[in-house]
Amino acid sequence: MAGRNGRTVRDLRRANRRAVLQRLYFDGPLSRFELGPATGLSSGSVSNVVADLIGDGLVEEAGSVDSDGGRPRTLLRVTPDSGHMIGVDVGETRVRVELFDLTLTELARAERPLEQQRYDVDVIVDHIHAGITEVLAAAGLAPERLLGVGIGVPGIVEHTPDRGAVVHGQTIGWDAIELESLLRSGSPLPEGVPCFIDNGARTLGQAEMWFGAGRGARNALVVLFGSGVGACLVTPEAEHGRAVEWGHLTVRVRGRRCRCGALGCLEAYAGAESLLARWREEGGRVPRGADEETSLTAMLAAAYPPDGTAADPVALAVLEETAEYLGAGLSDLINLFQPERILMGGWAGLQLGARFLPAVRTHALSYALRHPAENVTIELGSLGPDAVTVGAAILPLADFFARGGRRPDPDPESPPPAWHRALRERTPH
């Protein structure tokens, strides 16, 4: 039965379960007494919801704490092994697959290196299938116990009602790839386990906003600096994050040709692939047969010798120019969106790290307008190289929250909330 606002009793129960579950997840352990003001629910509603969640095995007791003159209050927390998610990072150097419990503690991982930049989608699908099988076997977990699989990919992801997630990855040679359908074909997952596919910069951003250096910020940009560059914008109007194709902002008219085919893109100057290409063109000694990560390590060692010997002037000059291009690119984001916080992640961003960031920050603030520049901080992300997989695992986790801690409803008459609703309504502090 629906009320005047159109909400049914089932909707209300789901909302109450979601409120309690999310508060325990982000701020627990908490007592029933603390959950009342934290969720806005009455003590009776809290007791009923907690009893329901304990009965479902989602919440457990976690000790007690003294109260003011009364009996000790029992603390409650989310049960870690009551749910499991898989996060997948389809990067441009490797495919990484990780299995997590409900509290996003890693239980197992598998990695498959990629030998070429423009790769066959069938190879990627095989890597994902093999990685899922491997991590489930390593943890001794039946696939039916998964809440879902989240996958972060390069490019623009279009969600369609008839074809599922379609990926437009121009820089990697993917043209309207129906990735969700391909993953379902021959998948090791049962039919009822959902897959969620989104842009990798967006999953990186969501991870940093939920659990990393973005917590507490209402307006932030999380930058993914890898083979190419991308960004995730989080604002009060887009709290679930919005992928921004920042790498294809034009920074030089008739400049270097980008992987996308256009001239003068930021990615043609600031991505790790172009950075190494420019070093090679200037005579840099890129290790023969080495992958991008190993080559970037060699370039950093040449520019900043650990033994105190003279720096390679070519490597140093290319890195300094790259810092200026990145800073100029960030200044555009600062002027356009006026974020309070910018975080840099991705394998190349983390590898360049603290030594590189001060120069990027200096250039960004010098190119930006004074007022927004005075109100932004620019730091490294805090979740390390696994941030994209963590963010990908958040996709099924957020869907689980949106359902009030229930698995997908097979009833087609009751369509579930979209996963991004839970992202929008998340309240970590």
Side-chain angles (χ1 to χ4, degrees):
M1 179 177 179
R4 291 183 179 179
N5 60 2
R7 299 183 75 191
T8 66
V9 172
R10 182 178 181 179
D11 292 333
L12 182 61
R13 287 174 178 168
R14 181 168 55 208
N16 289 349
R17 282 172 60 100
R18 180 172 67 242
V20 171
L21 191 60
Q22 289 191 164
R23 187 55 62 193
L24 286 174
Y25 192 87
F26 290 113
D27 297 330
L30 296 171
S31 67
R32 290 172 177 81
F33 178 79
E34 293 170 309
L35 280 169
T39 61
L41 300 177
S42 68
S43 59
S45 293
V46 167
S47 294
N48 290 336
V49 171
V50 166
D52 198 22
L53 292 172
I54 289 176
D56 288 346
L58 293 173
V59 169
E60 63 185 11
E61 295 184 354
S64 61
V65 63
D66 292 337
S67 61
D68 297 332
R71 293 182 300 174
R73 293 187 179 127
T74 301
L75 294 175
L76 304 165
R77 69 179 181 187
V78 171
T79 307
D81 63 356
S82 58
H84 300 82
M85 302 82 63
I86 286 178
V88 180
D89 175 9
V90 179
E92 295 184 335
T93 59
R94 62 170 53 84
V95 174
R96 176 179 287 136
V97 181
E98 296 184 54
L99 173 67
F100 301 92
D101 68 15
L102 196 63
T103 60
L104 284 173
T105 298
E106 182 190 315
L107 303 178
R109 74 163 56 198
E111 293 192 356
R112 300 288 189 278
L114 298 175
E115 303 299 332
Q116 54 184 358
Q117 294 297 85
R118 291 181 177 268
Y119 39 82
D120 190 324
V121 67
D122 291 336
V123 173
I124 301 302
V125 169
D126 288 345
H127 284 337
I128 295 174
H129 286 171
I132 290 173
T133 300
E134 184 176 331
V135 297
L136 289 173
L141 187 76
E144 292 79 9
R145 294 183 59 191
L146 289 172
L147 300 179
V149 175
I151 304 169
V153 299
I156 298 169
V157 181
E158 177 188 11
H159 296 280
T160 69
D162 54 338
R163 297 185 295 163
V166 178
V167 183
H168 305 272
Q170 191 167 323
T171 61
I172 59 171
W174 287 9
D175 182 16
I177 296 296
E178 297 181 13
L179 185 59
E180 187 173 346
S181 298
L182 291 171
L183 285 169
R184 279 296 175 193
S185 177
S187 172
L189 299 174
E191 186 64 31
V193 176
C195 285
F196 305 85
I197 301 172
D198 217 317
N199 175 270
R202 190 179 184 186
T203 66
L204 167 68
Q206 207 59 61
E208 290 288 353
M209 296 303 293
W210 275 39
F211 302 109
R215 291 196 71 175
R218 287 174 51 79
N219 192 325
L221 279 156
V222 183
V223 172
L224 191 157
F225 180 17
S227 298
V229 291
C232 173
L233 171 68
V234 179
T235 66
E237 294 76 27
E239 289 188 29
H240 52 287
R242 178 161 60 91
V244 180
E245 289 295 329
W246 175 54
H248 303 289
L249 183 84
T250 302
V251 295
R252 177 176 287 185
V253 175
R254 295 187 296 277
R256 291 177 64 90
R257 188 167 298 279
C258 178
R259 299 184 302 170
C260 73
L263 298 176
C265 293
L266 175 64
E267 191 166 290
Y269 296 91
E273 180 182 327
S274 64
L275 189 159
L276 291 167
R278 284 159 47 225
W279 186 39
R280 187 182 299 109
E281 291 165 8
E282 296 295 329
R285 296 182 297 276
V286 178
R288 185 182 299 275
D291 61 19
E292 279 187 0
E293 295 185 32
T294 303
S295 298
L296 186 57
T297 300
M299 184 179 185
L300 286 171
Y304 310 112
D307 56 5
T309 58
D312 177 342
V314 174
L316 191 58
V318 171
L319 283 169
E320 288 175 346
E321 184 184 46
T322 299
E324 185 165 6
Y325 273 113
L326 272 174
L330 288 178
S331 74
D332 290 327
L333 297 180
I334 292 170
N335 291 342
L336 283 169
F337 303 115
Q338 301 181 31
E340 62 187 275
R341 200 173 302 177
I342 294 177
L343 304 172
M344 188 166 73
W347 69 264
L350 296 173
Q351 194 167 336
L352 291 169
R355 184 187 291 275
F356 187 69
L357 190 63
V360 174
R361 185 187 294 117
T362 297
H363 290 303
L365 300 183
S366 67
Y367 279 109
L369 292 170
R370 184 170 57 252
H371 177 70
E374 289 173 348
N375 291 282
V376 66
T377 61
I378 304 174
E379 305 294 341
L380 290 175
S382 64
L383 295 181
D386 294 336
V388 174
T389 49
V390 171
I394 285 175
L395 303 182
L397 176 63
D399 180 70
F400 185 62
F401 284 160
R403 299 174 187 278
R406 299 193 188 280
R407 292 177 181 272
D409 191 337
D411 181 4
E413 298 299 319
S414 301
W419 65 263
H420 59 75
R421 176 180 174 187
L423 294 178
R424 185 171 63 250
E425 296 178 356
R426 98 281 185 261
T427 53
H429 298 294

